[in-house]
Amino acid sequence: MPPSLPFLLGPAELPLAELHAARLDGELVGVGDRFSPPDIARTVDLRGARELRALALVPRLPAGLVVERRTAAWLHGAWAAPPAPLELCLRSDHRVRVGPNVAWTLRQAVLRPDELLLVRGVLSTTPLRTALDLLRLQPDGGFDRRHRSAIVTLLLMQSHGRERAEAVLHRSPHLPHKQRALDRLAALEL
C-alpha cells in the first residue's frame, strides 16, 4: 500500500512547481501557502476549516507567539487570505526570544486567557478579541469594506456579538482607540 499524503501539502512533500500546477489543474486548492485536495478543503465544516487553516500556519509560526488581527480573522474564516506579513503578537506576560523577520509583524499585547483560543497548536485571539482589535487598531485610511465585513462575520460567530463587544469596550477605561472602536461598531450593520 503506498504511503498516504497529509491533508496539507507543501514544498517538503512535492516541488512547489508541481503543487502550483496541480492547483491550476484543479487537483489541489490553496490553503494559505499550503495546498489541500479539494474534497477535503471544500467539505469540512466551519470548525474543520479553521483547523485546516491552523495546520497551514503551523510551519510558519515561531513558538509562543499569538496569531492576531487579519491573520486571526483568516484563521476564523472571516478574511479571504492570510495577510503578508502575518500579524502576530507576544503576550505581555510571556518571554519569547524572536528575531525580526519579514514574514510577520510583531507587537506586544495584554491578553486575558479568555481572549485566546488554541487551534491545532496555533494560539489565536478569539473571534471577539479579533473583531475588537480590527475595530481599534486599523487606521482610518485602511479601514475599508473588507475590514467591516470581517468584523461583522467575527461578531456573528457568537450570540449577541455587538453587545458583547460594546460591553468589553465600555468596561476598559484606558483602552487605546476606544472611541474609534465604539464609533465604528455603531456604524456596522449587523
Side-chain angles (χ1 to χ4, degrees):
M1 177 183 288
S4 63
L5 290 173
F7 287 135
L8 289 171
L9 304 171
E13 291 79 25
L14 291 170
L16 202 52
E18 287 186 38
L19 291 167
H20 281 287
R23 183 183 55 79
L24 290 172
D25 290 341
E27 297 170 4
L28 295 175
V29 295
V31 180
D33 65 346
R34 312 280 289 172
F35 300 86
S36 176
D39 57 335
I40 293 174
R42 292 189 180 123
T43 59
V44 294
D45 61 7
L46 179 62
R47 183 174 154 232
R50 181 170 30 206
E51 290 183 2
L52 197 60
R53 287 187 290 271
L55 290 172
L57 285 172
V58 167
R60 300 173 60 192
L61 295 179
L65 297 184
V66 178
V67 171
E68 67 161 357
R69 294 187 282 177
R70 291 178 302 154
T71 307
W74 175 74
L75 178 74
H76 297 306
W79 198 263
L86 297 177
E87 294 173 331
L88 310 175
C89 67
L90 172 64
R91 291 175 286 172
S92 60
D93 59 344
H94 283 71
R95 299 293 169 247
V96 176
R97 176 169 258 149
V98 180
N101 193 315
V102 297
W104 61 73
T105 61
L106 184 62
R107 72 181 187 103
Q108 191 170 25
V110 176
L111 296 168
R112 295 186 321 269
D114 66 334
E115 295 177 314
L116 296 170
L117 180 66
L118 186 63
V119 182
R120 290 292 188 141
V122 173
L123 197 55
S124 171
T125 54
T126 62
L128 179 62
R129 174 60 193 246
T130 302
L132 290 169
D133 285 344
L134 290 175
L135 283 165
R136 288 184 323 105
L137 300 175
Q138 189 62 35
D140 289 332
F143 192 74
D144 57 16
R145 181 182 49 80
R146 291 179 307 161
H147 286 86
R148 289 188 296 275
S149 176
I151 292 164
V152 167
T153 301
L154 291 162
L155 292 176
L156 290 174
M157 287 181 179
Q158 59 233 312
S159 61
H160 309 289
R162 181 195 299 267
E163 294 81 9
R164 292 178 65 196
E166 287 173 348
V168 170
L169 290 169
H170 285 299
R171 73 172 174 256
S172 305
H174 304 292
L175 190 63
H177 309 296
K178 173 181 168 177
Q179 191 58 51
R180 173 194 292 171
L182 285 167
D183 294 344
R184 288 175 173 176
L185 187 59
L188 290 178
E189 294 181 22
L190 288 172

